[in-house]
C-alpha cells in the first residue's frame, strides 16, 4: 500500500528502538519483481528529525506536542502522531509498500512475529538496558552503578540469549520462523548491538556460547546492508569514546598502584 | 471471522496476562445487530486448562511441548501453538468473531491500541510486578524483599499511573481513544487489579490521586461483567489469605511488644 502523506520520523540514533525504526524505513525491500539489481530500495520517504534525549530535547514543548510521553522514536504521519517502535513499524508496514516478510499478512506468520516482539519487551529489552546501565553507563546518566543489579541482569540476559539460541533460532535463520527477516529481527538485533558499548572482551564473552545468535546477527546486518552499519555510526563513536576512557582509567590506576 | 479449529487455552488465573486472555475469550461482544437483550456472549469456544506455575506445572514436559518458554498464557489452536498474552489476543481477534472495538481494523485506531499495549510492557507490567514482589510477595516466591527496589518501582508505577491519567485517559473513557474498550484496556486493568494483593489501605492510597484511572477500572469491569469479577476469584482468595496473615503477624508483634 502506498501513502501520499508526509511522514516525519523523530529519532535519537543512540537509542536502540530508534535505530530499529530508522533501519526499517531505510532498508525496505521492493516487492516488485524487477531485475535492475537494486532489490533493496528506500520505499519509505520520511523527513528524519534528530531529537537528543541526552540534551533533554525529548522533554521540550515542541516534541511533547508530538509525543506527550517525551520518548523517541515517534512519528507524525500527516498529522497522525504515534510512538513505540514496534507499533510504528507495524503501522508503517500496513500503510506503506513493504515486503510481506517484515510483518506478514498470513495470521499465523504474523502471530509468530508478534510473539517475538512481545517476548522481547520482557526479556532482552529490560535486561540489556539494566545490564548496560549498571555495568557501564550509570555515571553518564548521573546514576550510581549497582553491581548486584548488573549481575542479576546478566543472568537474565544469558537466559534470554539461550531462549533465542534454543527456541527462536532452533530451526530457522530468523527469529519468527521465516526464511527472511521480520521487524522482530531488526528490533532484537538493534537491542543486542547496543552491547557494543561494553568492553570488547566482555561483550564477546557474553555472546560467545550462542553460535546461532551470532550467525543471526550477521544475517540481519547483511540483509539490511548498508543501512545497519550506517545507522549504528553514532553508537560506534560512543563505543570508541568509552573504550578510550576505560584505557585511560586503567593506565591511571596502574600509575598510582604501589610499585613492587 | 469464524474458526472451526479446536482451541485450548492454558492459563493460571493467579497471573495477570492469563486473566486478561480468559476475560477476552469470555467477554466477547457479539457483533450481530440482534435485539435479544444479550449483547455480551462468549464467542470464543475454548477448552480451558489450568497450568499452575506455583506447582511448577509450567516447567513440566507436557506443557513445554506447548510453550518451550514454560510460561502461561499459551494456546493450542488446532495444532498451532502460541504464547504472549497480547499476541494471543491479537490473533484471536483476527481469527474469531470479535467486535471491532477490541482490536480495530482501521489502521490508525489499531495503532492506538498497539501503542498502549507496547507502552504497558515497559511501564506498569514491569513496575507493578517489581513493586508487588519487593513489598509483599517475595517470601512466597522464595526471594528476599528489597525495600530500595520496592521504592523505585513505586515511583515508576506512580509515573505510569500519571501517564494513564493525563495522556491515555485525558479525553477518552478508555486507553486507546475509543468509546468502547480494546484489548489494551483488559490487559492493563488486569495488571492494576493485581495490586489488590497489597494491604487495602496501601493500594487505595496508591490509586487515590488518579480519578480517571479509578473510573476507567470500574468501566472495564462493568463492560466485561460478569467475567471480570469471576476470573479474578482466585486472586481475591489469595488477597484474603495475605490479609489474614498480615493481621496475625501484626497481632503477634503486638503481643510480644514490651508492655508499657
Amino acid at each position: 500500500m502506498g501513502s501520499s502523506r508526509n511522514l516525519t520520523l523523530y529519532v535519537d540514533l543512540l537509542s536502540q528502538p530508534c535505530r530499529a525504526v530508522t533501519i526499517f524505513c531505510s532498508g525496505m525491500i521492493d516487492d516488485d519483481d524487477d531485475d535492475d539489481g537494486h532489490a533493496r530500495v528506500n520505499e519509505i520517504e520520511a523527513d528524519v528529525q534528530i531529537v537528543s534525549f541526552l540534551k533533554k530535547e525529548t522533554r521540550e514543548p515542541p516534541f511533547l506536542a508530538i509525543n506527550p510521553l517525551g520518548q523517541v522514536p515517534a512519528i507524525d504521519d500527516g498529522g497522525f502522531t504515534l510512538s513505540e517502535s514496534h507499533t510504528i513499524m507495524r503501522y508503517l508496514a500496513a500503510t506503506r509498500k513493504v515486503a510481506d516478510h517484515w510483518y506478514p499478512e498470513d495470521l499465523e506468520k504474523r502471530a509468530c512475529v508478534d510473539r517475538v516482539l512481545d517476548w522481547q519487551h520482557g526479556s532482552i529489552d529490560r535486561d540489556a538496558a539494566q545490564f548496560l546501565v549498571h555495568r557501564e553507563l550509570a555515571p553518564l546518566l548521573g546514576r550510581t552503578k549497582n553491581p548486584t543489579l548488573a549481575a542479576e541482569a546478566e543472568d537474565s540476559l544469558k537466559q534470554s540469549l539461550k531462549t533465542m539460541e534454543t527456541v527462536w533460532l532452533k530451526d530457522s535463520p530468523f527469529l519468527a520462523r521465516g526464511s527472511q527477516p521480520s521487524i522482530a529481527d531488526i528490533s532484537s538485533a538493534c537491542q543486542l548491538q547496543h552491547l557494543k558499548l561494553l568492553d570488547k572482551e566482555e561483550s564477546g564473552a557474553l555472546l560467545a556460547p550462542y553460535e546461532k545468535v551470532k550467525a543471526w546477527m550477521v544475517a540481519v546486518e547483511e540483509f539490511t546492508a548498508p543501512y545497519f552499519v550506517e545507522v549504528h555510526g553514532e553508537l560506534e563513536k560512543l563505543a570508541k569514546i568509552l573504550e578510550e576512557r576505560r584505557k585511560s582509567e586503567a593506565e591511571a590506576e596502574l600509575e598510582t598502584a604501589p610499585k613492587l
Side-chain angles (χ1 to χ4, degrees), chain A:
Chain A
M1 198 196 299
S3 175
S4 57
R5 284 181 167 187
N6 286 329
L7 177 69
T8 307
L9 188 59
Y10 299 88
V11 290
D12 179 334
L13 294 182
L14 284 178
S15 132
Q16 306 90 306
C18 287
R19 293 196 298 270
V21 171
T22 308
I23 292 166
F24 178 69
C25 288
S26 313
M28 295 304 105
I29 289 211
D30 190 344
D31 230 5
D32 293 346
D33 197 10
D34 53 8
D35 276 319
D36 60 2
H38 292 82
R40 288 165 174 78
V41 297
N42 184 345
E43 281 288 322
I44 300 189
E45 281 184 37
D47 173 24
V48 178
Q49 297 281 337
I50 302 295
V51 186
S52 163
F53 59 79
L54 281 178
K55 291 182 192 160
K56 298 198 184 344
E57 289 169 356
T58 49
R59 291 311 196 175
E60 286 170 11
F63 182 70
L64 290 174
I66 304 295
N67 182 12
L69 275 61
Q71 293 168 341
V72 278
I75 62 169
D76 181 337
D77 189 27
F80 176 63
T81 57
L82 199 57
S83 57
E84 294 292 335
S85 66
H86 296 178
T87 294
I88 291 170
M89 290 191 282
R90 283 184 178 107
Y91 170 80
L92 292 177
T95 57
R96 263 61 181 183
K97 191 179 172 188
V98 163
D100 186 69
H101 62 86
W102 292 112
Y103 194 55
E105 286 282 341
D106 176 88
L107 296 175
E108 290 191 6
K109 288 182 184 170
R110 170 166 294 201
C112 289
V113 177
D114 281 334
R115 172 175 47 187
V116 177
L117 287 170
D118 283 334
W119 169 81
Q120 190 197 323
H121 275 297
S123 57
I124 54 173
D125 281 6
R126 182 197 55 199
D127 302 328
Q130 176 151 317
F131 182 54
L132 273 163
V133 165
H134 290 290
R135 178 77 95 219
E136 182 74 43
L137 304 177
L140 273 185
L141 304 167
R143 298 172 62 181
T144 311
K145 287 187 193 178
N146 179 328
T148 310
L149 292 183
E152 277 180 17
E154 187 175 5
D155 284 346
S156 282
L157 189 54
K158 285 178 179 169
Q159 273 302 318
S160 301
L161 289 166
K162 193 179 161 197
T163 296
M164 293 176 83
E165 183 85 6
T166 59
V167 180
W168 306 135
L169 297 170
K170 187 182 172 203
D171 305 309
S172 156
F174 295 104
L175 297 175
R177 298 192 188 168
S179 59
Q180 291 179 296
S182 71
I183 54 178
D185 293 288
I186 298 186
S187 188
S188 291
C190 286
Q191 192 59 255
L192 291 187
Q193 196 74 1
H194 216 65
L195 297 172
K196 285 212 163 179
L197 295 180
L198 293 171
D199 174 85
K200 268 182 200 164
E201 275 188 31
E202 181 162 29
S203 60
L206 190 64
L207 290 172
Y210 311 104
E211 292 298 335
K212 288 181 175 178
V213 173
K214 286 186 288 181
W216 158 81
M217 286 193 71
V218 172
V220 175
E221 181 176 327
E222 284 179 354
F223 199 97
T224 57
Y227 308 109
F228 197 89
V229 171
E230 271 176 32
V231 170
H232 280 85
E234 288 294 310
L235 184 78
E236 287 290 341
K237 275 190 214 164
L238 179 58
K240 274 187 191 140
I241 292 169
L242 293 173
E243 190 71 28
E244 287 302 319
R245 191 189 327 198
R246 275 189 296 265
K247 264 191 214 165
S248 322
E249 283 173 2
E251 282 165 8
E253 224 166 86
L254 211 64
E255 277 172 23
T256 57
K259 303 274 183 289
L260 290 178

